[in-house]
Amino acid sequence: MVNLTVAIPTYNSEHRLLDVLDKLQDCIAYCQQDGVESFTWEIIVVDNNSFDNTAKLVRDYQANWSSDYPLKYYF
C-alpha cells in the first residue's frame, strides 16, 4: 500500500522537470521527519503528450534512480 503519491503533470517541461526530480531525490535522501518512517510513497510523472525530450529525461532518470520509492512515468 502506498501512503503518499507525488503526481507531476507535465507538458513539454523537460527543463523544469529536471529541477523537480532533483529536489525530490534530495528530499528522499536527506529530509527527515518524525513519525513517517513507515510511510511508503511513489512519484508519478504524467506526460500530457509532450513532444520535447520529457520522456527521455524521465527514462534516463529512472535508470539512475537510487531510491526505494518508485519513479513511474505515464504518457
Side-chain angles (χ1 to χ4, degrees):
M1 180 177 110
V2 174
N3 298 104
L4 176 69
T5 298
V6 177
I8 306 166
T10 186
Y11 175 72
N12 293 334
S13 301
E14 67 179 297
H15 299 293
R16 290 183 302 247
L17 187 57
L18 180 63
D19 289 338
V20 171
L21 292 175
D22 283 344
K23 297 290 186 207
L24 283 170
Q25 192 157 26
D26 287 347
C27 184
I28 291 169
Y30 303 112
C31 294
Q32 300 297 319
Q33 185 166 344
D34 293 334
V36 297
E37 296 83 7
S38 64
F39 276 29
T40 59
W41 58 302
E42 65 186 352
I43 300 166
I44 299 175
V45 177
V46 182
D47 187 342
N48 191 17
N49 204 28
S50 297
F51 55 84
D52 65 356
N53 289 317
T54 295
K56 181 183 179 330
L57 179 134
V58 176
R59 279 193 307 271
D60 291 348
Y61 225 97
Q62 285 173 316
N64 297 305
W65 192 249
S66 61
S67 173
D68 293 336
Y69 306 111
L71 171 61
K72 300 176 182 179
Y73 173 79
Y74 296 97
F75 185 78

CSV table of all heavy atoms in Angstrom, one decimal, residues 5-53:
chain,number,residue,atom,x,y,z
A,5,THR,N,1.4,9.7,-2.8
A,5,THR,CA,1.7,9.8,-4.2
A,5,THR,C,2.0,11.2,-4.5
A,5,THR,O,1.2,12.1,-4.2
A,5,THR,CB,0.6,9.3,-5.1
A,5,THR,OG1,0.3,7.9,-4.8
A,5,THR,CG2,0.9,9.4,-6.6
A,6,VAL,N,3.2,11.5,-5.1
A,6,VAL,CA,3.5,12.8,-5.7
A,6,VAL,C,3.3,12.7,-7.2
A,6,VAL,O,4.0,11.9,-7.9
A,6,VAL,CB,5.0,13.2,-5.4
A,6,VAL,CG1,5.3,14.5,-6.1
A,6,VAL,CG2,5.3,13.2,-3.9
A,7,ALA,N,2.2,13.3,-7.7
A,7,ALA,CA,1.9,13.3,-9.1
A,7,ALA,C,2.3,14.6,-9.7
A,7,ALA,O,2.0,15.7,-9.3
A,7,ALA,CB,0.4,13.1,-9.3
A,8,ILE,N,3.1,14.4,-10.8
A,8,ILE,CA,3.6,15.6,-11.5
A,8,ILE,C,3.1,15.6,-12.9
A,8,ILE,O,3.6,14.9,-13.8
A,8,ILE,CB,5.2,15.6,-11.6
A,8,ILE,CG1,5.8,15.4,-10.2
A,8,ILE,CG2,5.7,16.8,-12.3
A,8,ILE,CD1,7.2,15.0,-10.2
A,9,PRO,N,2.1,16.4,-13.2
A,9,PRO,CA,1.6,16.6,-14.6
A,9,PRO,C,2.6,17.4,-15.4
A,9,PRO,O,3.1,18.4,-14.8
A,9,PRO,CB,0.2,17.3,-14.4
A,9,PRO,CG,0.3,18.0,-13.1
A,9,PRO,CD,1.3,17.2,-12.3
A,10,THR,N,2.8,17.0,-16.6
A,10,THR,CA,3.8,17.8,-17.4
A,10,THR,C,3.4,17.8,-18.9
A,10,THR,O,2.8,16.9,-19.4
A,10,THR,CB,5.2,17.2,-17.2
A,10,THR,OG1,6.2,18.0,-17.8
A,10,THR,CG2,5.3,15.8,-17.7
A,11,TYR,N,3.8,18.9,-19.5
A,11,TYR,CA,3.7,19.0,-20.9
A,11,TYR,C,4.9,19.9,-21.4
A,11,TYR,O,5.0,21.1,-21.1
A,11,TYR,CB,2.4,19.7,-21.3
A,11,TYR,CG,2.2,20.0,-22.8
A,11,TYR,CD1,2.0,18.9,-23.7
A,11,TYR,CD2,2.3,21.2,-23.3
A,11,TYR,CE1,1.9,19.1,-25.0
A,11,TYR,CE2,2.2,21.5,-24.6
A,11,TYR,CZ,2.0,20.4,-25.5
A,11,TYR,OH,1.9,20.7,-26.9
A,12,ASN,N,5.7,19.2,-22.2
A,12,ASN,CA,6.9,19.9,-22.7
A,12,ASN,C,7.7,20.7,-21.6
A,12,ASN,O,8.0,21.8,-21.8
A,12,ASN,CB,6.5,20.9,-23.8
A,12,ASN,CG,6.0,20.2,-25.1
A,12,ASN,OD1,6.4,19.0,-25.3
A,12,ASN,ND2,5.2,20.8,-25.8
A,13,SER,N,8.0,19.9,-20.6
A,13,SER,CA,8.6,20.6,-19.4
A,13,SER,C,9.9,20.0,-19.0
A,13,SER,O,10.3,19.9,-17.8
A,13,SER,CB,7.6,20.4,-18.2
A,13,SER,OG,6.4,21.0,-18.5
A,14,GLU,N,10.7,19.5,-20.0
A,14,GLU,CA,11.9,18.8,-19.7
A,14,GLU,C,12.8,19.6,-18.8
A,14,GLU,O,13.5,19.1,-17.9
A,14,GLU,CB,12.6,18.3,-20.9
A,14,GLU,CG,13.1,19.4,-21.8
A,14,GLU,CD,13.9,18.9,-23.0
A,14,GLU,OE1,14.9,18.2,-22.9
A,14,GLU,OE2,13.4,19.2,-24.1
A,15,HIS,N,12.9,20.9,-19.0
A,15,HIS,CA,13.9,21.7,-18.3
A,15,HIS,C,13.4,22.0,-16.8
A,15,HIS,O,14.2,21.9,-15.9
A,15,HIS,CB,14.1,23.1,-19.0
A,15,HIS,CG,14.7,22.9,-20.3
A,15,HIS,ND1,16.0,22.4,-20.5
A,15,HIS,CD2,14.2,23.1,-21.6
A,15,HIS,CE1,16.2,22.3,-21.8
A,15,HIS,NE2,15.2,22.7,-22.5
A,16,ARG,N,12.1,22.2,-16.6
A,16,ARG,CA,11.6,22.4,-15.3
A,16,ARG,C,11.5,21.0,-14.5
A,16,ARG,O,11.7,21.0,-13.3
A,16,ARG,CB,10.2,23.0,-15.4
A,16,ARG,CG,10.2,24.4,-15.8
A,16,ARG,CD,8.8,24.9,-15.7
A,16,ARG,NE,7.9,24.1,-16.6
A,16,ARG,CZ,7.3,24.6,-17.7
A,16,ARG,NH1,7.5,25.8,-18.1
A,16,ARG,NH2,6.5,23.8,-18.4
A,17,LEU,N,11.2,20.0,-15.3
A,17,LEU,CA,11.1,18.7,-14.6
A,17,LEU,C,12.4,18.2,-14.0
A,17,LEU,O,12.4,17.5,-13.0
A,17,LEU,CB,10.6,17.7,-15.7
A,17,LEU,CG,10.2,16.3,-15.2
A,17,LEU,CD1,9.1,16.4,-14.1
A,17,LEU,CD2,9.7,15.4,-16.3
A,18,LEU,N,13.5,18.5,-14.7
A,18,LEU,CA,14.8,18.1,-14.1
A,18,LEU,C,15.0,18.6,-12.7
A,18,LEU,O,15.4,17.9,-11.8
A,18,LEU,CB,15.9,18.6,-15.0
A,18,LEU,CG,17.3,18.2,-14.6
A,18,LEU,CD1,17.5,16.7,-14.6
A,18,LEU,CD2,18.3,18.9,-15.6
A,19,ASP,N,14.7,19.9,-12.5
A,19,ASP,CA,14.8,20.5,-11.2
A,19,ASP,C,13.9,19.9,-10.2
A,19,ASP,O,14.2,19.6,-9.0
A,19,ASP,CB,14.5,22.0,-11.3
A,19,ASP,CG,15.6,22.8,-12.0
A,19,ASP,OD1,16.7,22.3,-12.0
A,19,ASP,OD2,15.2,23.9,-12.4
A,20,VAL,N,12.6,19.6,-10.6
A,20,VAL,CA,11.7,19.0,-9.7
A,20,VAL,C,12.2,17.6,-9.2
A,20,VAL,O,12.1,17.3,-8.0
A,20,VAL,CB,10.3,18.9,-10.3
A,20,VAL,CG1,9.3,18.0,-9.5
A,20,VAL,CG2,9.7,20.3,-10.6
A,21,LEU,N,12.6,16.8,-10.2
A,21,LEU,CA,13.1,15.4,-9.8
A,21,LEU,C,14.3,15.5,-9.0
A,21,LEU,O,14.5,14.7,-8.1
A,21,LEU,CB,13.3,14.6,-11.1
A,21,LEU,CG,12.0,14.3,-11.9
A,21,LEU,CD1,12.4,13.6,-13.2
A,21,LEU,CD2,11.1,13.4,-11.1
A,22,ASP,N,15.2,16.4,-9.3
A,22,ASP,CA,16.4,16.6,-8.4
A,22,ASP,C,16.0,16.9,-7.0
A,22,ASP,O,16.6,16.3,-6.1
A,22,ASP,CB,17.3,17.7,-9.0
A,22,ASP,CG,18.1,17.3,-10.2
A,22,ASP,OD1,18.3,16.1,-10.5
A,22,ASP,OD2,18.7,18.2,-10.9
A,23,LYS,N,15.1,17.8,-6.8
A,23,LYS,CA,14.7,18.2,-5.5
A,23,LYS,C,14.0,17.1,-4.7
A,23,LYS,O,14.2,16.9,-3.6
A,23,LYS,CB,13.7,19.4,-5.5
A,23,LYS,CG,14.3,20.7,-6.1
A,23,LYS,CD,15.4,21.3,-5.2
A,23,LYS,CE,15.8,22.6,-5.7
A,23,LYS,NZ,17.2,22.9,-5.3
A,24,LEU,N,13.2,16.3,-5.4
A,24,LEU,CA,12.5,15.2,-4.8
A,24,LEU,C,13.5,14.1,-4.4
A,24,LEU,O,13.4,13.5,-3.3
A,24,LEU,CB,11.5,14.6,-5.8
A,24,LEU,CG,10.2,15.3,-5.9
A,24,LEU,CD1,9.3,14.8,-7.0
A,24,LEU,CD2,9.4,15.3,-4.5
A,25,GLN,N,14.5,13.9,-5.2
A,25,GLN,CA,15.5,12.9,-4.9
A,25,GLN,C,16.3,13.3,-3.7
A,25,GLN,O,16.7,12.5,-2.8
A,25,GLN,CB,16.4,12.5,-6.1
A,25,GLN,CG,17.3,11.3,-5.8
A,25,GLN,CD,17.7,10.6,-7.0
A,25,GLN,OE1,17.9,11.2,-8.1
A,25,GLN,NE2,18.0,9.3,-7.0
A,26,ASP,N,16.7,14.6,-3.6
A,26,ASP,CA,17.4,15.2,-2.5
A,26,ASP,C,16.5,15.0,-1.2
A,26,ASP,O,17.0,14.7,-0.2
A,26,ASP,CB,17.7,16.6,-2.7
A,26,ASP,CG,18.8,16.9,-3.7
A,26,ASP,OD1,19.5,15.9,-4.0
A,26,ASP,OD2,19.0,18.0,-4.1
A,27,CYS,N,15.2,15.3,-1.3
A,27,CYS,CA,14.3,15.2,-0.2
A,27,CYS,C,14.3,13.7,0.3
A,27,CYS,O,14.3,13.5,1.5
A,27,CYS,CB,12.9,15.7,-0.6
A,27,CYS,SG,11.8,15.7,0.8
A,28,ILE,N,14.2,12.8,-0.6
A,28,ILE,CA,14.1,11.4,-0.2
A,28,ILE,C,15.4,11.0,0.5
A,28,ILE,O,15.4,10.3,1.6
A,28,ILE,CB,14.0,10.5,-1.4
A,28,ILE,CG1,12.6,10.7,-2.1
A,28,ILE,CG2,14.2,9.0,-1.1
A,28,ILE,CD1,12.4,10.0,-3.4
A,29,ALA,N,16.5,11.5,0.1
A,29,ALA,CA,17.8,11.2,0.6
A,29,ALA,C,18.1,11.9,2.0
A,29,ALA,O,18.7,11.3,2.9
A,29,ALA,CB,18.9,11.4,-0.4
A,30,TYR,N,17.7,13.2,2.1
A,30,TYR,CA,18.2,14.0,3.2
A,30,TYR,C,17.1,14.5,4.1
A,30,TYR,O,17.4,14.9,5.2
A,30,TYR,CB,19.0,15.1,2.7
A,30,TYR,CG,20.2,14.7,1.8
A,30,TYR,CD1,20.2,14.9,0.5
A,30,TYR,CD2,21.2,14.0,2.4
A,30,TYR,CE1,21.3,14.5,-0.3
A,30,TYR,CE2,22.3,13.5,1.6
A,30,TYR,CZ,22.3,13.8,0.3
A,30,TYR,OH,23.3,13.4,-0.5
A,31,CYS,N,15.9,14.6,3.7
A,31,CYS,CA,14.8,15.2,4.6
A,31,CYS,C,14.4,14.2,5.6
A,31,CYS,O,14.2,13.0,5.3
A,31,CYS,CB,13.6,15.6,3.7
A,31,CYS,SG,13.9,16.9,2.6
A,32,GLN,N,14.3,14.6,6.8
A,32,GLN,CA,13.9,13.7,7.9
A,32,GLN,C,12.7,14.3,8.6
A,32,GLN,O,12.7,15.5,8.9
A,32,GLN,CB,15.1,13.6,8.9
A,32,GLN,CG,16.3,13.0,8.4
A,32,GLN,CD,16.1,11.6,7.9
A,32,GLN,OE1,15.5,10.8,8.5
A,32,GLN,NE2,16.7,11.2,6.7
A,33,GLN,N,11.7,13.5,8.8
A,33,GLN,CA,10.6,14.0,9.6
A,33,GLN,C,10.1,12.8,10.5
A,33,GLN,O,10.1,11.7,10.1
A,33,GLN,CB,9.4,14.3,8.6
A,33,GLN,CG,8.2,14.9,9.3
A,33,GLN,CD,7.3,15.6,8.4
A,33,GLN,OE1,7.6,15.9,7.2
A,33,GLN,NE2,6.1,15.8,8.8
A,34,ASP,N,9.9,13.2,11.7
A,34,ASP,CA,9.5,12.2,12.7
A,34,ASP,C,8.1,11.6,12.4
A,34,ASP,O,7.2,12.3,12.0
A,34,ASP,CB,9.5,12.8,14.1
A,34,ASP,CG,10.9,13.1,14.6
A,34,ASP,OD1,11.9,12.5,14.1
A,34,ASP,OD2,11.0,14.0,15.4
A,35,GLY,N,7.9,10.3,12.7
A,35,GLY,CA,6.6,9.7,12.5
A,35,GLY,C,6.3,9.2,11.2
A,35,GLY,O,5.1,8.7,11.0
A,36,VAL,N,7.1,9.3,10.2
A,36,VAL,CA,6.8,8.9,8.8
A,36,VAL,C,7.7,7.8,8.3
A,36,VAL,O,7.8,7.5,7.2
A,36,VAL,CB,6.8,10.1,7.8
A,36,VAL,CG1,5.8,11.1,8.2
A,36,VAL,CG2,8.2,10.7,7.8
A,37,GLU,N,8.4,7.2,9.3
A,37,GLU,CA,9.4,6.1,8.9
A,37,GLU,C,8.8,5.0,8.2
A,37,GLU,O,9.4,4.3,7.3
A,37,GLU,CB,10.2,5.6,10.1
A,37,GLU,CG,11.0,6.7,10.8
A,37,GLU,CD,10.2,7.6,11.8
A,37,GLU,OE1,9.0,7.3,12.0
A,37,GLU,OE2,10.8,8.5,12.3
A,38,SER,N,7.5,4.7,8.5
A,38,SER,CA,6.9,3.5,7.9
A,38,SER,C,6.1,3.9,6.6
A,38,SER,O,5.4,3.0,6.0
A,38,SER,CB,5.9,2.8,8.9
A,38,SER,OG,4.9,3.7,9.3
A,39,PHE,N,6.0,5.1,6.3
A,39,PHE,CA,5.3,5.6,5.1
A,39,PHE,C,6.0,5.0,3.8
A,39,PHE,O,7.2,4.9,3.7
A,39,PHE,CB,5.3,7.1,5.0
A,39,PHE,CG,4.2,7.7,5.7
A,39,PHE,CD1,3.7,7.2,6.9
A,39,PHE,CD2,3.7,9.0,5.3
A,39,PHE,CE1,2.7,7.8,7.6
A,39,PHE,CE2,2.7,9.6,6.0
A,39,PHE,CZ,2.2,9.0,7.2
A,40,THR,N,5.2,4.7,2.8
A,40,THR,CA,5.7,4.3,1.5
A,40,THR,C,5.1,5.4,0.6
A,40,THR,O,4.0,5.8,0.7
A,40,THR,CB,5.3,2.9,1.1
A,40,THR,OG1,3.9,2.8,1.1
A,40,THR,CG2,5.9,1.9,2.0
A,41,TRP,N,5.9,5.7,-0.4
A,41,TRP,CA,5.4,6.7,-1.4
A,41,TRP,C,6.0,6.4,-2.7
A,41,TRP,O,6.9,5.6,-2.9
A,41,TRP,CB,5.6,8.1,-0.9
A,41,TRP,CG,7.0,8.6,-0.6
A,41,TRP,CD1,7.9,8.1,0.3
A,41,TRP,CD2,7.6,9.7,-1.1
A,41,TRP,NE1,9.0,8.8,0.4
A,41,TRP,CE2,8.9,9.8,-0.5
A,41,TRP,CE3,7.3,10.7,-2.1
A,41,TRP,CZ2,9.8,10.8,-0.8
A,41,TRP,CZ3,8.2,11.7,-2.4
A,41,TRP,CH2,9.4,11.7,-1.8
A,42,GLU,N,5.4,7.1,-3.7
A,42,GLU,CA,5.8,7.0,-5.1
A,42,GLU,C,5.7,8.3,-5.8
A,42,GLU,O,5.1,9.3,-5.3
A,42,GLU,CB,4.8,6.0,-5.8
A,42,GLU,CG,3.4,6.5,-5.9
A,42,GLU,CD,2.4,5.6,-6.5
A,42,GLU,OE1,2.8,4.5,-6.9
A,42,GLU,OE2,1.2,5.9,-6.4
A,43,ILE,N,6.5,8.4,-6.9
A,43,ILE,CA,6.5,9.6,-7.7
A,43,ILE,C,6.0,9.2,-9.1
A,43,ILE,O,6.5,8.3,-9.6
A,43,ILE,CB,7.9,10.3,-7.7
A,43,ILE,CG1,8.3,10.6,-6.3
A,43,ILE,CG2,7.9,11.5,-8.7
A,43,ILE,CD1,9.8,11.0,-6.2
A,44,ILE,N,5.0,9.9,-9.5
A,44,ILE,CA,4.4,9.6,-10.9
A,44,ILE,C,4.5,10.9,-11.7
A,44,ILE,O,4.0,11.9,-11.4
A,44,ILE,CB,3.0,9.2,-10.8
A,44,ILE,CG1,2.8,7.9,-9.9
A,44,ILE,CG2,2.4,9.0,-12.2
A,44,ILE,CD1,1.4,7.5,-9.7
A,45,VAL,N,5.2,10.7,-12.9
A,45,VAL,CA,5.2,11.8,-13.9
A,45,VAL,C,4.1,11.4,-14.9
A,45,VAL,O,4.1,10.4,-15.5
A,45,VAL,CB,6.6,11.9,-14.6
A,45,VAL,CG1,6.6,12.9,-15.7
A,45,VAL,CG2,7.6,12.2,-13.5
A,46,VAL,N,3.2,12.3,-15.1
A,46,VAL,CA,2.1,12.2,-16.1
A,46,VAL,C,2.3,13.1,-17.2
A,46,VAL,O,2.2,14.3,-17.1
A,46,VAL,CB,0.7,12.4,-15.4
A,46,VAL,CG1,-0.4,12.2,-16.4
A,46,VAL,CG2,0.5,11.6,-14.1
A,47,ASP,N,2.7,12.5,-18.3
A,47,ASP,CA,3.1,13.3,-19.5
A,47,ASP,C,1.9,13.5,-20.4
A,47,ASP,O,1.3,12.6,-20.9
A,47,ASP,CB,4.2,12.6,-20.3
A,47,ASP,CG,4.8,13.4,-21.4
A,47,ASP,OD1,4.1,14.3,-21.9
A,47,ASP,OD2,5.8,13.0,-21.9
A,48,ASN,N,1.5,14.8,-20.6
A,48,ASN,CA,0.3,15.1,-21.4
A,48,ASN,C,0.7,15.3,-22.9
A,48,ASN,O,0.5,16.4,-23.4
A,48,ASN,CB,-0.4,16.3,-20.8
A,48,ASN,CG,-1.7,16.6,-21.4
A,48,ASN,OD1,-2.3,15.7,-22.0
A,48,ASN,ND2,-2.2,17.8,-21.2
A,49,ASN,N,1.3,14.3,-23.5
A,49,ASN,CA,1.6,14.3,-24.9
A,49,ASN,C,2.7,15.3,-25.3
A,49,ASN,O,2.6,15.9,-26.3
A,49,ASN,CB,0.3,14.6,-25.7
A,49,ASN,CG,0.4,14.0,-27.2
A,49,ASN,OD1,1.1,13.1,-27.4
A,49,ASN,ND2,-0.3,14.7,-28.1
A,50,SER,N,3.7,15.3,-24.5
A,50,SER,CA,4.9,16.2,-24.8
A,50,SER,C,5.6,15.8,-26.1
A,50,SER,O,5.6,14.6,-26.4
A,50,SER,CB,5.9,16.1,-23.6
A,50,SER,OG,5.3,16.6,-22.4
A,51,PHE,N,6.1,16.7,-26.8
A,51,PHE,CA,6.9,16.4,-28.0
A,51,PHE,C,8.3,16.8,-27.8
A,51,PHE,O,9.1,16.8,-28.7
A,51,PHE,CB,6.3,17.1,-29.2
A,51,PHE,CG,6.1,18.5,-29.1
A,51,PHE,CD1,7.1,19.4,-29.4
A,51,PHE,CD2,4.8,19.0,-28.8
A,51,PHE,CE1,6.9,20.8,-29.4
A,51,PHE,CE2,4.6,20.4,-28.7
A,51,PHE,CZ,5.6,21.3,-29.0
A,52,ASP,N,8.7,17.3,-26.6
A,52,ASP,CA,10.1,17.6,-26.3
A,52,ASP,C,10.8,16.3,-25.8
A,52,ASP,O,10.3,15.2,-26.0
A,52,ASP,CB,10.3,18.7,-25.4
A,52,ASP,CG,9.7,18.5,-24.0
A,52,ASP,OD1,9.1,17.4,-23.8
A,52,ASP,OD2,9.8,19.3,-23.1
A,53,ASN,N,11.8,16.4,-25.0
A,53,ASN,CA,12.6,15.3,-24.5
A,53,ASN,C,12.2,14.8,-23.1
A,53,ASN,O,12.9,14.2,-22.4
A,53,ASN,CB,14.1,15.6,-24.5
A,53,ASN,CG,14.6,15.6,-25.9
A,53,ASN,OD1,14.3,14.8,-26.7
A,53,ASN,ND2,15.5,16.6,-26.2
